[in-house]
Amino acid sequence: MQRLLVFCLLALCINAHAVFLAGYVGDSRIQSSNDIYKPAGIVGLSLDAGFFNEPENIVDYKLSFVLKRFGYSHHDGDETVSLWSIGIKPLTWSITLYDVSLELYGSFNYIFSTNGNTEYFESKLYRKTNADSYTYGYGYRLGYNIKPQFFVALQMDMQFMKWRSNHVANNEYIGGVGLSFQWNLPL
């Protein structure tokens, strides 16, 4: 199964006519209720690689794969909780007029690493559940095509963490706002 998936991804790369790379740097501080003292943000990051982007179209869609870091800090920034995930944005819709573009997307991510977990986070949500941890989310970007190959935008990204423990689902969310860029590879 893994070989088939890798083969399909390579076939997509070879046959894709509109390949792009994107990045995001922002303040990850929007969060649901928690038990921490003086919550604050951390630097949220993401790197995307995707296909099917055609910025000359007024309405367009694209697909991308993403590596993401998000989380929060507490105790006036002395302690941080960060989560790393890999995922997919299966459908990103965009509307472009006069080089100004608005994009909306949904995402599914698998959390593969965490750092600095609080005792609450550790006991109630993550490690002691012995279950896979994933997020689903949404976001949007509003930006400007500086050149046909380069796009800069303000981006908002929200991730809803879903944890399963004894057949009970728990939901928490973490998100933020930041600066995004995209470079369309010339082919």
Side-chain angles (χ1 to χ4, degrees), residues 115-187:
N115 284 330
N117 297 340
T118 63
E119 188 175 315
Y120 169 81
F121 194 84
E122 197 65 41
S123 66
K124 301 259 187 199
L125 300 177
Y126 189 68
R127 298 278 183 214
K128 294 187 179 171
T129 63
N130 293 322
D132 288 339
S133 305
Y134 62 95
T135 69
Y136 56 94
Y138 69 91
Y140 53 86
R141 297 193 308 177
L142 177 62
Y144 184 73
N145 288 306
I146 295 173
K147 294 181 176 181
Q149 291 181 316
F150 194 68
F151 175 72
V152 176
L154 290 174
Q155 179 174 336
M156 192 284 298
D157 183 70
M158 292 296 293
Q159 295 301 311
F160 295 88
M161 295 178 289
K162 188 112 174 157
W163 317 89
R164 291 212 170 266
S165 173
N166 298 328
H167 306 291
V168 176
N170 299 303
N171 289 306
E172 299 275 331
Y173 63 85
I174 297 176
V177 177
L179 183 64
S180 177
F181 60 90
Q182 179 175 308
W183 181 54
N184 300 316
L185 285 111
L187 293 177

Side-chain angles (χ1 to χ4, degrees), residues 40-56:
I42 67 168
V43 175
L45 305 168
S46 74
L47 296 172
D48 294 47
F51 311 98
F52 313 124
N53 183 44
E54 296 176 3
E56 65 274 3

Side-chain angles (χ1 to χ4, degrees), residues 76-107:
D76 282 334
D78 292 338
E79 303 290 330
T80 63
V81 174
S82 65
L83 301 109
W84 286 90
S85 67
I86 55 173
I88 185 170
K89 293 179 184 174
L91 186 61
T92 300
W93 284 94
S94 66
I95 299 173
T96 305
L97 292 172
Y98 303 107
D99 292 330
V100 175
S101 183
L102 173 65
E103 292 184 355
L104 305 168
Y105 64 85
S107 66

